[in-house]
Amino acid sequence: MESFDTLIIGAGFAGAVCARALAEGGKHVLLLESRNHIGGNAYDCPDSAGVLIHQYGPHIFHTNDKRVYDFLSRFTAWRDYQHTVAANVPDGKGGRQEFPVPFNLVSLETAFPPEKARQLEEKLLACYGPERKVTILDLRQNPDPEIAALADYVYSHVFVYYTQKQWGTTPENIDPNTTARVPVFLSRDCRYFQDTYQGLPKDGYTALFQKMLDHPGITLRLNTDASQVLDLSGDTIRYEGEPFRGTVIYTGALDALFGFALGALPYRTLEFQFETFSADQVQSHATVNYTMDMPYTRITEFKQLTGQVLPGITSTVKEFSRAYEGAPGQIPYYPIISPENNALYARYATLAGKFANLHLLGRLAEYRYYNMDAIAARALALCDKLLEDSHG
Ligand code: FAD
Ligand code: UDP
């Protein structure tokens, strides 16, 4: 058996950042990954046409956290990319119309005649102030009838149908922090994110992960599910039948770790439909959201994200959101945050709490809607603590 003092399950951002930080702190890390590749949901690879695609949906790195940016920048250079998204909706005259998302002052001017747009802008700025972000649920509470009518317009043209497709229910019935990710923005800044550091790894995410995991203190084992080697049925964690008292960091789904003993935690999954076209470019923006019709939520054209130069050929992905049923090959992408689901998660977390050397980290293991940078930040903070404890 290899000699290791740290076991990490999952080679996505959570697991890989921990592996590197702990290996640099002198730990001997065994990193297990059930898939046949590293990178988790950020994994990218060329498709059969040679276009670099994101296998699990488009990933744009953005953060205000300098520590995270500096840490990841050791393993990649960045393509400076500012993400923009258009909503594509029927124009009511048999054609289609596009406007920026998040809905902003430019969207307002596209959606309404000039005089009406000017009046609404004046009102909004007087009420909230310039460059402010207002969630759709807050905007809908505004007592001014004209602002309320605008809120209805944004709700029906941007949020209600898209949210129904993505979550199977309306914006009022999901965690308010979710729609708050895409607020109405009283600005002419058409970027999707305003974070200081934004971009894509120059050679892709997989290359970033390869460099991050290239350390003598890290042993990587792909195609290995934790359930094949870990046993949590007793008082001590067992690895391949032997008690393991080193650190265990688990980044997979918590219900799966305990064999679904308390029932399944609900998630949304996605189906991806990839397409390749003989064209340089097929849509106006890297991502176009279909907010009022179409069965898919959005289409992303990868070359616009990655900046890859490949004349005459381009690939896109359509995303279809579905209830996760645990069918073979289905991947749980989004925890469904709600008081009831959080309570079930808390019961699993209590089971996990029995093992002092077990640490839960990541979107699935923590049942939280984290972006990549938040996961990397949490991974670095956890490693700080583990290294401090072991050295102190
Ligand atoms: P994951 O990436 O899911 O990694 C977990 C890894 O653990 C996986 O490789 C999995 O195979 C492995 N694993 C799980 N269970 C086991 C087991 N039992 N045994 C062995 N291995 C196991 N974030 C952004 O910042 N910007 C974006 O633009 C963005 N876009 C997104 C688009 C989509 C469609 C989705 C779904 C997410 C997006 N995210 C984005 C979020 C981002 O994917 C997550 O923040 C990030 O992947 C979290 O990393 P993680 O390591 O927690 O999880
Ligand atoms: N949303 C929406 N219309 C849009 C974009 C987002 O209704 O055009 C809502 C929807 O509920 C979505 C949430 O806002 O799930 C968060 O969107 P975000 O783009 O942050 O989701 P991600 O794809 O990053 O998970």
Side-chain angles (χ1 to χ4, degrees):
M1 190 170 87
E2 315 93 324
S3 155
F4 61 93
D5 48 41
T6 305
L7 182 60
I8 301 180
I9 317 298
F13 265 98
V17 168
C18 284
R20 180 69 187 215
L22 293 176
E24 286 180 353
K27 300 293 176 192
H28 296 95
V29 177
L30 177 63
L31 177 58
L32 304 182
E33 168 56 56
S34 56
R35 297 181 194 175
N36 63 0
H37 61 73
I38 55 177
N41 292 337
Y43 172 73
D44 54 15
C45 61
D47 66 9
S48 56
V51 180
L52 183 65
I53 57 161
H54 296 180
Q55 186 85 58
Y56 305 97
H59 279 68
I60 298 98
F61 182 79
H62 57 100
T63 192
N64 288 318
D65 189 328
K66 187 167 186 314
R67 184 183 186 200
V68 165
Y69 178 75
D70 287 345
F71 180 84
L72 296 177
S73 300
R74 292 172 50 205
F75 314 112
T76 188
W78 298 94
R79 156 175 154 79
D80 183 10
Y81 169 76
Q82 306 285 317
H83 193 44
T84 56
V85 175
N88 182 303
V89 299
D91 65 2
K93 300 177 216 151
R96 302 196 69 87
Q97 186 184 32
E98 290 191 348
F99 54 77
V101 173
F103 195 93
N104 65 11
L105 298 178
V106 178
S107 318
L108 189 68
E109 284 157 3
T110 315
F112 292 93
E115 185 50 28
K116 179 75 180 163
R118 202 191 52 75
Q119 276 171 17
L120 282 168
E121 176 177 339
E122 244 174 46
K123 270 208 165 174
L124 287 166
L125 295 181
C127 181
Y128 298 102
E131 302 301 313
R132 290 294 300 277
K133 293 181 174 176
V134 187
T135 71
I136 185 61
L137 297 179
D138 282 347
L139 196 67
R140 293 193 94 205
Q141 302 297 320
N142 195 299
D144 182 297
E146 273 187 298
I147 296 184
L150 171 66
D152 282 347
Y153 179 91
V154 178
Y155 183 80
S156 62
H157 283 70
V158 178
F159 285 96
V160 73
Y161 188 64
Y162 189 101
T163 299
Q164 188 78 46
K165 283 190 281 191
Q166 178 71 9
W167 297 99
T169 185
T170 59
E172 296 72 33
N173 294 324
I174 62 171
D175 176 29
N177 293 317
T178 302
T179 48
R181 287 165 62 93
V182 189
V184 174
F185 190 20
L186 304 185
S187 171
R188 288 191 163 70
D189 178 347
C190 291
R191 295 172 304 162
Y192 205 66
F193 311 111
Q194 276 69 45
D195 292 353
T196 309
Y197 308 104
Q198 234 186 106
L200 273 89
K202 224 177 190 123
D203 299 321
Y205 288 96
T206 304
L208 183 166
F209 276 83
Q210 274 160 355
K211 286 218 173 88
M212 187 154 54
L213 295 177
D214 182 12
H215 187 285
I218 302 174
T219 305
L220 170 68
R221 239 203 252 166
L222 297 176
N223 304 306
T224 308
D225 196 279
S227 61
Q228 296 163 234
V229 292
L230 271 194
D231 176 1
L232 277 74
S233 62
D235 294 337
T236 322
I237 298 180
R238 288 180 174 268
Y239 174 75
E240 291 190 330
E242 299 295 321
F244 181 77
R245 297 199 170 77
T247 297
V248 179
I249 299 174
Y250 180 77
T251 76
L254 194 52
D255 52 356
L257 184 65
F258 290 100
F260 307 96
L262 306 174
L265 279 164
Y267 303 93
R268 297 293 289 180
T269 188
L270 295 171
E271 272 174 37
F272 297 109
Q273 199 177 93
F274 291 90
E275 288 171 272
T276 297
F277 302 88
S278 300
D280 287 333
Q281 187 175 326
V282 289
Q283 62 183 26
S284 62
H285 293 66
T287 297
V288 176
N289 287 2
Y290 287 82
T291 53
M292 293 189 82
D293 57 359
M294 307 299 177
Y296 40 85
T297 51
R298 58 186 181 184
I299 304 181
T300 297
E301 184 171 18
F302 291 105
K303 277 179 20 181
Q304 293 198 49
L305 285 185
T306 61
Q308 186 181 13
V309 179
L310 203 61
I313 201 102
T314 190
S315 297
T316 61
V317 66
K318 284 187 179 125
E319 293 173 51
F320 300 80
S321 174
R322 313 257 188 255
Y324 173 74
E325 287 155 350
Q330 238 186 13
I331 295 177
Y333 288 107
Y334 294 92
I336 304 177
I337 311 295
S338 75
E340 191 190 348
N341 298 346
N342 295 354
L344 178 56
Y345 174 82
R347 290 176 59 214
Y348 274 115
T350 304
L351 291 185
K354 280 201 322 196
F355 305 98
N357 56 340
L358 174 63
H359 304 272
L360 306 174
L361 184 79
R363 215 186 221 215
L364 292 173
E366 296 182 71
Y367 205 68
R368 300 282 298 273
Y369 198 153
Y370 287 130
N371 287 332
M372 294 181 281
D373 65 321
I375 292 295
R378 295 180 67 72
L380 291 174
L382 173 64
C383 294
D384 284 348
K385 184 170 178 320
L386 291 170
L387 291 172
E388 204 180 289
D389 290 352
S390 75
H391 295 147

